[in-house]
Amino acid sequence: MDANPQSTPMLRHILEEFDQCADLIFRSFPEIRTDIVYFPSIVDQKLFTDEILAPFAQVQLDEVEQLFQQSQFTRVTESKTVIEGILAGSAAIFHEKDIYLLNIYGPKTRDVQQSETETIISGPHDAFVESAITNISLIRQRIKSSHLKIKEYSVGEITKTSVYVLYIKDIANMKYVEELEKRIKRIEIDAINDGGMLTQFLEDSPNSVFPQFLTTERPDVAVSKLAAGRIITLIDNSPTALAAPSAFFEFFSSPDDYYERWALGTALRLLRYLALLITISFTAFYVSVTTYHYEMIPEALLRTLAESRNRVPFPPVYEALLMETMIELLREAGARLPTKIGQTIGIVGGIVIGQAAVQAGLTSNVLIIAVASSAIASFVIPSYMMSASIRLVRFGIIILAGIWGNIGIAMGVTLIVTHISSLTSLGSSYLTPVAPMVLGDWKDVFIRAPFTFLTRRPSQSQSPNPLRQIKRK
Amino acid sequence: MMEKLSPFHVAVLVYMSQIGIVVFALPRQLADYFGTNGWLVLLPGLLVTSFNIYLITLVHRLGDGKSVFEIMERSIPKAVLYPVYLGLCSVWLIFGCMIGKKYVLLFQMIAFPTTNPMLFKMAVDVLLFLLIIKGIFTISKAATFFFWMTFWMYFLLFWFLPSFSWVRLTPFILQGGHDQVKGALELYTAYLGYELSILLFPYMDKSKKSLAAIYAGNAFLSLLYICLSLVCFGFFSFGQLKKLLFPLLDLLGYIQFPFIERLENMLYGFFLFLILMTVAMYWWGALEAMRRVIPKLKIPVLAFLLTVISYCISFIPKTLDQVNNWILYLGYAATGIAFGLPVLLIALLLLQGRRVSRV
Amino acid sequence: MYKRLSAVLLLLLVLLLTGCNSDERILEKLGMVQTASYDLAENDRLKTVYSVPVIDPESSERRQLLKAVTDSLKEARVLLSKQIDLRLVSGQLRTVLFGLNLAKEGLGDHIDTLLRDPSIALGVQVAIVDGEAGELLSKSFKSNKDTGTFVNHLLEKESSSNIIPPTTLYAFTRDYHDDGIDPIVPIVKDQGDRAGISGIAFFQDGRFVMKIPSKDGIIFALLRGDIKQGELSINLGERNGRKVRVMFSSMLNKRKVSVQHLGDNRFKFIIADSIQGSVLEYTGHEDLSQSKKRHELERDVAEYIRGKAQEMVKKLQQNNVDSIGIGQYVRNSLTYKAWKSLDWSKVYPGVEVECRIKVTIKDYGKYM
């Protein structure tokens, strides 16, 4: 693409910069002495026609100056700004010595669809997509308030990914916003591809197993977090939104808790904590009882348990680790394959391998029950990240149970608790509301009390306006 | 922004550092030393500890919530203070260490008769090390978490109500005991742990509630002790109780649920949380004292050194009896500190106050 | 820096942990003693039989028996562990059976030994066998191959229905160490084609003294305390040429006791039972729907129970066993000093015991 001989040095510089970018388009309108440069791949074609082609075709040379006075044209002087503008989906317009940017960004995106990872039964079904603008629009549609503030940052040396920080003024604590801002600015990396990746640069302890920022794909969750005084971070090209500060127990609540009747919501929450208990301890407990604490088996169960173990050639801990690994393999294979094959894998793996392993005497059927129920229980936890972390931790506990029985389990739990206690999320305690103890928050953490009782925002967000609603008399 | 311990956490910390290994043997000791209805002794126990806490709160009030070390350093030369700090550190360190060792020996008796107890001790010490290097706020958070994790156990006491009989309690008050003075001193170790609250001053809210929380933690513990002992005195017969070395284990072993029985095997693991917190608090106290002596050393390094030292010391006593003896004598020392330290501090504060007013 | 340190420490911990396996008790490699029986052998030696379940589902045997004659209780375990390819453990012990001869010698020491073992809890059932305990345990009855388990279930069921008082190691040692009550233990007997409970054994100082047949068990239970469930078959003799039998069921008893001091170390002990129940069988021809007749029957039943109870108390006093716990109440009515100076075993036979029984018929079935 040859530069126009009359073109300004600036235009030449720009074109040099984009040398060998095959998708760049350079168009000249000699009658009005104007050239434009843009990437059609990230530009909305309709906007381009309406905003540029149509007016340029009608306008006379002497009216051009006037046209560029319109507010959608931004006059720029720096070449760096021009390049950034073009990359961000603007058309750069060169007229005489002036340069204008016109934002006609409109990339191809996926339509808003249902969330794959966070499905719920009743409630809104839309989920975030890869376009941050669409995602922001999903949130804006829900919060019609001028207090919803959005700050934009650019992260990544090469990718220049847009990161948006959303909060509601007067509800979110600015302390957290500033902290988050500071952390975003500190990031030094060439490319960032997903919200999950971004979290690891923002979290207080990136080496911890446990996620300290809640990630969600659901706009309704994001909105409820915003209303609770938390901060949402969106990143372009990723459907994952981050909510911070977050607490450990927050990962066990699901949006449906609020869409169901409160009694049901409470029951579901308690069920999830039970699931946590089962996931962490069930298999480990089986290992510990069959390896060390045979006294604990009631007489009625003794024969069943002993008979099922009778033909198994390995000690219980190896048996358990084998089956747990098997389940993880199945899960991972199911996730990698297309949905329909994935389901088949689940059935084939679960039934055929499980049944065959028992018949071959490789595992006891009681263990199969234990492993399967703890796997199922782990899927009850709504946050995929948390459920994966807990599944990983479980292996450690099983090994400890195999080494020292119940005391091993207790030691494992101690390690976890010590670790979790030292975690923070944006500097606030990860264990709120248990430590620091805020009994008032318990009614929205361990149970889901009726809305008339949920009058305060969670203490963790330290909101300047802690009251959610005026108490009804 | 400086984090502060809320009153609830102070109460939990006090309670968690108090409840320890003694709880296993407490009802038997009461029956043995004080005879019939020995559980009544716990009431004066509550009074004495409350008085001691009153002394501690007095230090807080007079010293305006300043760190006790600062108060001491203001009027005593460092040369004199260093041996005091070393003393405090060693008593607390070894006391904590012996509590850990006793727990390990007990567990070994129940489930791991041939495993080397020092292996368990090492594991427990590693856990403790990981806990104390993270500082008092993490300790308090963990304590609160553990508190709720063990809270439900107290409801197990209801299981014994059908077999409870007032007739077995007898109307005799404290008859048939022996060596009451020795017993009282020994029993006092059951309450120890609250004295560490004196080190919490700089970390807690300067409100009356924080001080009340120290009383509350102690009162909760006493209530728990009383309930447990009362159940033991009414569930077991007096003569039987005197024969049971660790009545709590027998109580737990008697519980049968349809899906699980012999709960002592499992709940003993839960007691790890309680004992760990007790030891962690003592070690934290030792660490605080030691930091005054060697302020330049980084906390993890210092904690590591202390842990290694205490681990080496825990090799010395081999049997449960020897450990009991160590705990007994260290308990005397810790009791002395519990009363002596606040009294000393009050004296210092009064002296300093007079000097200030003269100026 | 300390992060790296703690990581190293954790690694060290895991390495250390994997080192020790000598205390493993892997379920299928254990020979779990479920029932143990002890008898007196010649020369004051102890004959021990252990019943260990056979776990293999393909085996026709449900249990295997290990037998030894030794000097002490724990020595037997050492000897017996050499007879079995599994690791012999006692944490699943459910029932301990003692032979009658051994019980006469005294059980105190043996029970102490059992309790010293940390793997044995207080919930183990204790029973006396009328005859040789080992023989009963070794016998395979047609209906129940595993005699030990059968006896265990039998004892559990019976003690839950109050026909015999619950007798675990806990209850035995509790009463054994209490100075105001003597322990009791159920008696199991080989009844030909099955084992059954034949009565209650009374102990003094851990030594078997006397027994009562099982049909009198409910009377004893009424004397001993409140009951929530129980059945009593009453023979009221002949009335108007007809044998009158009453089956009194779903009995609910509230016991109240009081002690009167008669001076000079003599006491009067009053047991007031208030019994409620329903009549399931009545062979007399009175019309029970009339409240007058019903009250008459109540009085008859009360009188019958009172007679039986008094008779039993007398028998207990003659044998000088205070299994009702009269001593506890007398003790609690005295000062500590007075109780300690009292030689209860001398005083007990002379205590006047009065039983006051009140019976209420709640209902009399669904048939006139």
Side-chain angles (χ1 to χ4, degrees), chain B residues 112-115 119 122-123 129-130 133 167-168 170-172 175-176 235 237 239-240 243 250 254 261-262 300, chain C residues 2 6 9 13 16 22-23 91 94 112 118-119 121-122 168 170 173-174 177-178 328-329 331-332 334-336:
Chain B
F112 297 91
T114 61
T115 309
L119 267 179
M122 168 158 275
F129 169 72
L130 291 176
I133 52 170
V167 176
R168 273 175 225 130
T170 73
F172 314 136
Q175 298 292 336
F235 178 73
S237 67
Q240 185 187 21
K243 301 259 304 174
D250 287 302
Y254 194 68
E261 45 188 58
R262 299 293 295 278
Chain C
Y2 77 88
S6 51
L9 279 176
L13 178 68
L16 274 174
S22 59
D23 285 322
R94 304 277 160 182
D112 271 6
S119 63
L122 288 171
T168 51
Y170 153 70
T173 42
R174 183 192 64 203
H177 290 295
D178 198 325
Q328 286 182 327
Y329 292 93
R331 175 186 70 196
N332 291 0
L334 292 171
T335 61
Y336 184 73

Side-chain angles (χ1 to χ4, degrees), chain A residues 74-85:
Chain A
T74 331
R75 190 159 168 229
V76 289
T77 46
E78 293 274 317
S79 69
K80 199 172 150 236
T81 334
V82 177
I83 293 169
E84 273 170 10

Side-chain angles (χ1 to χ4, degrees), chain A residues 80-129:
Chain A
K80 199 172 150 236
T81 334
V82 177
I83 293 169
E84 273 170 10
I86 294 171
L87 288 172
S90 293
I93 301 161
F94 297 83
H95 173 71
E96 311 269 289
K97 275 188 178 142
D98 296 332
I99 309 162
Y100 301 92
L101 285 180
L102 175 65
N103 191 352
I104 45 172
Y105 183 58
K108 301 281 171 297
T109 54
R110 184 161 64 96
D111 289 338
V112 174
Q113 284 166 336
Q114 277 214 20
S115 167
E116 291 279 325
T117 53
E118 290 171 74
T119 40
I120 60 166
I121 294 163
S122 66
H125 289 289
D126 52 351
F128 287 141
V129 292

Side-chain angles (χ1 to χ4, degrees), chain C residues 342-357:
Chain C
L342 195 73
D343 186 356
W344 177 242
S345 61
K346 290 255 167 58
V347 176
Y348 170 67
V351 175
E352 263 181 58
V353 180
E354 188 188 330
C355 304
R356 294 175 187 163
I357 313 286

Side-chain angles (χ1 to χ4, degrees), chain A residues 146-210:
Chain A
S146 58
H147 283 261
L148 172 65
K149 305 294 179 195
I150 301 177
K151 289 189 176 181
E152 192 187 345
Y153 306 90
S154 162
V155 172
E157 288 297 310
I158 290 176
T159 55
K160 299 267 188 289
T161 316
S162 299
V163 171
Y164 300 89
V165 171
L166 286 76
Y167 62 94
I168 300 180
K169 202 179 127 203
D170 296 339
I171 291 182
N173 190 324
M174 290 313 283
K175 183 180 81 183
Y176 292 129
V177 179
E178 282 154 21
E179 174 67 28
L180 195 64
E181 199 172 4
K182 211 169 78 195
R183 289 189 194 177
I184 291 175
K185 284 184 180 156
R186 218 169 40 200
I187 299 175
E188 280 179 13
I189 194 175
D190 55 347
I192 242 172
N193 295 325
D194 182 54
M197 194 171 160
L198 181 68
T199 353
Q200 296 172 48
F201 290 95
L202 298 180
E203 274 172 347
D204 305 43
S205 319
N207 295 332
S208 167
V209 200
F210 296 100

